[in-house]
């Protein structure tokens, strides 16, 4: 039975294979014979023809004719400014322009320069240059060959607009008979927004001129003698309308010409005596004798808060006024300082702790950094007037150097004076003990215990004092350049006794700058005395030179290198160095003729 089933299954397979063979034999070879009447046949033939022409339907075909297209507008490279404040639009506060004459250059103009130049950002003196002599001691002078007096203020405005418009926020125009209280003026202008047009000063106040009754009134315009303050936006608008201002200058009065030009350019109708609640005032003197009337007018509030005082006729009056206002400014600083001390004392003696308020003594001196571990604790060194004890773990007693002994004696003298000032009955008897600690953040701290005899109580007392010599204020100087691609040059002056210190500096320089591939360059400056050899094995700077050559060769691929220059000193400046004069390590020669080894000047 099982065999019959297998035979029947094989028969079915053979029959199916035969039927399939016969069907494929009689099947038409061209499919179009079956679908010739279908409308899609023509479209399919077209697609097949396109495939045969361009290849597979998945293969992309690129059209490269007239490509890539050239840019219609040429792209310009962006040139960034050299200094960051130029790119950020940071400007100085005040420019002062003084209109003077050749006759007053050596008198009034010089007095203005000495009393105001160091307190403002820029000052210039404008004169007519018809026959200018070249031996003026004052150098910041601008002369105009056009001597027409009515056009003189417009020459000044054009010069300012062409050279200093983008550098300053405010411009003060004043005659040479006005004393400028620069501190008061800068303080006043610092409270005014620079986003608005400013035309400030004191109105002239003249409404009618009997000699020229047809001339327009200048009462609404600022008086040049009392000073005219213009913002940079007003100067910019004046420059755009300067031709109109020149054509319509009908008078030799500068107040009128400047005022009409400002009115036409910036649409400011009159002089602004105040702006945003801030007043720029002036004080007009009724008498020209300052030395006689100063003791009376100094009690007037208008005189003390004035930014410009006029008219001043002699140079001595400028110096007298400057001395007075400098003293007033110093008294204000001392009063503010005393108030800060009182407020700090009141806070420190209050209920809140110093840990919350962070009030430290002395004011302005940072507190020591907390130690991260016991190995970072800065130890106190016990010392007296001649020796220091337990200087290191291996040295028990060490004599003080001359510099340390002098410093210790100076600290002791100042402490005794402070003790006598607080209690005149104390009489100094001796130093009990003293301790010293140096912190790189805070400075040098002293704790001193002094023995006194109290004459009032008739007994010996022991007083404790804490003295601090703070380090000067450390500021991070920002780079003046926008990018960091400029190489920084480092100059290291080295004397003969500083070879070991210079080697340590060069080794630290390699780790800090050369290994990090910083764009720096180190120049060593060697100072040889007159009799010191500079060649061969006897060269005192030979180890330092070999170190510089080896480091330069090691970092040659990075572009870092160390160079040196040698300078031979004259015989009169080559006295032997005293190792005790540690504070004079940058000096050579005797005290009357010492030579400074290195100096930097900003030209």
């Amino acid at each position: 039975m099982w065999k019959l089933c297998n035979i029947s299954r094989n028969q079915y397979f053979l029959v199916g294979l035969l039927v399939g063979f016969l069907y494929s034999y009689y099947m038409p070879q061209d499919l179009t014979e079956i679908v010739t009447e279908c409308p899609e046949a023509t479209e399919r033939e077209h697609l097949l023809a396109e495939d045969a022409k361009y290849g597979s339907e998945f293969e992309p075909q690129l059209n490269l004719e007239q490509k890539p297209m050239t840019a219609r507008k040429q792209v310009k490279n962006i040139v960034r400014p050299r200094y960051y404040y130029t790119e950020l639009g940071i400007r100085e506060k005040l420019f002062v322009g003084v209109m003077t004459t050749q006759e007053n250059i050596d008198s009034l103009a010089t007095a203005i320069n000495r009393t105001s130049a160091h307190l403002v950002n820029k000052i210039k003196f404008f004169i007519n240059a018809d026959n200018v002599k070249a031996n003026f001691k004052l150098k910041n002078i601008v002369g105009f060959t056009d001597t027409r007096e009515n056009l003189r203020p417009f020459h000044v405005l054009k010069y300012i607009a062409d050279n200093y418009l983008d550098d300053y926020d405010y411009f003060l125009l004043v005659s040479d008979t006005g004393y400028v209280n620069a501190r008061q003026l800068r303080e006043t202008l610092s409270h005014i927004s620079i986003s608005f047009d400013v035309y400030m000063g004191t109105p002239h106040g003249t409404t009618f001129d009997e000699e020229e009754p047809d001339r327009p009134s200048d009462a609404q315009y600022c008086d040049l003698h009392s000073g005219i303050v213009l913002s940079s936006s007003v100067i910019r608008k004046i420059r755009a309308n300067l031709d109109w201002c020149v054509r319509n200058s009908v008078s030799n009065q500068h107040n009128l010409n400047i005022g009409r030009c400002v009115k036409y350019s910036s649409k400011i109708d009159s002089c602004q005596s105040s702006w945003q609640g801030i007043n720029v005032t002036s004080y007009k003197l009724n008498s020209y004798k300052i030395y006689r009337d100063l003791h009376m007018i100094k009690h007037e509030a208008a005189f003390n808060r004035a930014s410009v005082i006029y008219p001043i006729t002699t140079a001595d009056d400028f110096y007298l006024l400057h001395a007075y206002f400098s003293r007033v400014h110093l008294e204000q600083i001392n009063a503010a300082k005393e108030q800060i001390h009182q407020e700090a004392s009141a806070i420190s003696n209050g209920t809140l702790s110093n840990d919350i308020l962070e009030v430290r003594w002395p004011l302005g001196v940072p507190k020591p950094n907390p130690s991260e571990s016991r190995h970072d604790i800065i130890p106190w060194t016990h010392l007296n007037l001649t020796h220091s004890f337990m200087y290191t773990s291996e040295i028990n007693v060490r004599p003080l150097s001359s510099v340390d002994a002098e410093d210790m004696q100076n600290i002791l003298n100042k402490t005794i004076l402070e003790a006598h000032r607080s209690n005149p009955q104390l009489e100094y008897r001796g130093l009990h003990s003293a301790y010293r600690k140096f912190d790189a953040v805070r400075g040098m701290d002293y704790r001193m215990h002094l023995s006194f005899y109290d004459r009032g109580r008739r007994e010996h007392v022991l007083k404790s004092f804490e003295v601090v010599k703070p380090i000067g204020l450390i500021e991070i100087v920002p780079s003046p350049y926008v990018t960091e691609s400029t190489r920084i040059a480092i100059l290291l002056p080295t004397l003969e006794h500083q070879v070991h210190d210079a080697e340590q500096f060069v080794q630290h320089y390699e780790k800090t700058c050369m290994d990090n591939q910083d764009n720096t360059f180190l120049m060593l400056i060697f100072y040889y005395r007159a009799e010191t050899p500079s060649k061969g094995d006897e060269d005192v700077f030979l180890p330092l030179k070999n170190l510089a050559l080896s480091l330069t060769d090691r970092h040659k691929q990075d572009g870092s290198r160390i160079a040196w220059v040698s300078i031979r000193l004259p015989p009169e400046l080559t006295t032997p160095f005293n190792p005790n004069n540690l504070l004079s390590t940058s000096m050579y020669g005797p005290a009357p003729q010492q030579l400074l080894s290195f100096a930097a000047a900003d030209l």
Side-chain angles (χ1 to χ4, degrees), residues 181-189 279 304-307 332:
N181 188 0
R183 296 187 182 93
Q184 178 68 29
L185 182 59
R186 284 176 58 90
E187 175 66 19
T188 302
L189 295 179
N279 299 323
N304 291 320
R305 65 170 178 264
S307 300
Q332 293 174 353

Side-chain angles (χ1 to χ4, degrees), residues 105-213:
I105 286 294
D106 295 331
S107 56
L108 300 181
T110 302
I112 295 176
N113 185 70
R114 290 179 177 177
T115 56
S116 302
H118 60 288
L119 300 175
V120 298
N121 302 113
K122 192 74 173 181
I123 187 170
K124 287 287 185 180
F125 297 89
F126 301 96
I127 62 174
N128 290 330
D130 50 352
N131 53 353
V132 176
K133 56 182 180 179
N135 57 349
F136 283 132
K137 296 181 180 180
L138 200 61
K139 300 304 179 183
N140 48 348
I141 302 175
V142 179
F144 304 114
T145 56
D146 189 352
T147 59
R148 289 176 291 180
E149 189 64 23
N150 62 323
L151 300 182
R152 186 179 173 191
F154 303 118
H155 289 304
V156 174
L157 293 173
K158 185 178 185 304
Y159 176 84
I160 292 175
D162 293 341
N163 297 278
Y164 301 106
L165 179 60
D166 297 328
D167 298 334
Y168 301 93
D169 291 331
Y170 297 101
F171 299 86
L172 173 67
L173 300 181
V174 67
S175 63
D176 57 3
T177 59
Y179 168 77
V180 180
N181 188 0
R183 296 187 182 93
Q184 178 68 29
L185 182 59
R186 284 176 58 90
E187 175 66 19
T188 302
L189 295 179
S190 63
H191 298 285
I192 300 178
S193 175
I194 62 175
S195 303
F196 300 92
D197 295 340
V198 175
Y199 171 55
M200 298 185 66
T202 302
H204 187 267
T206 302
T207 58
F208 181 74
D209 193 340
E210 296 180 356
E211 297 180 358
E212 299 183 24

Side-chain angles (χ1 to χ4, degrees), residues 61-117:
Q61 300 294 326
L62 301 179
N63 182 13
L64 300 179
E65 296 181 1
Q66 298 181 356
K67 294 181 180 180
M69 301 292 291
T70 58
R72 296 181 179 179
K73 185 177 181 181
Q74 190 69 22
V75 179
K76 297 182 179 180
N77 295 330
I78 299 177
V79 180
R80 302 187 67 183
R82 181 177 184 183
Y83 298 100
Y84 69 88
Y85 64 81
T86 305
E87 187 173 31
L88 298 178
I90 301 175
R91 295 178 292 192
E92 300 289 350
K93 181 59 64 176
L94 181 60
F95 175 95
V96 177
V98 182
M99 299 179 63
T100 182
T101 60
Q102 298 183 34
E103 294 77 12
N104 295 335
I105 286 294
D106 295 331
S107 56
L108 300 181
T110 302
I112 295 176
N113 185 70
R114 290 179 177 177
T115 56
S116 302

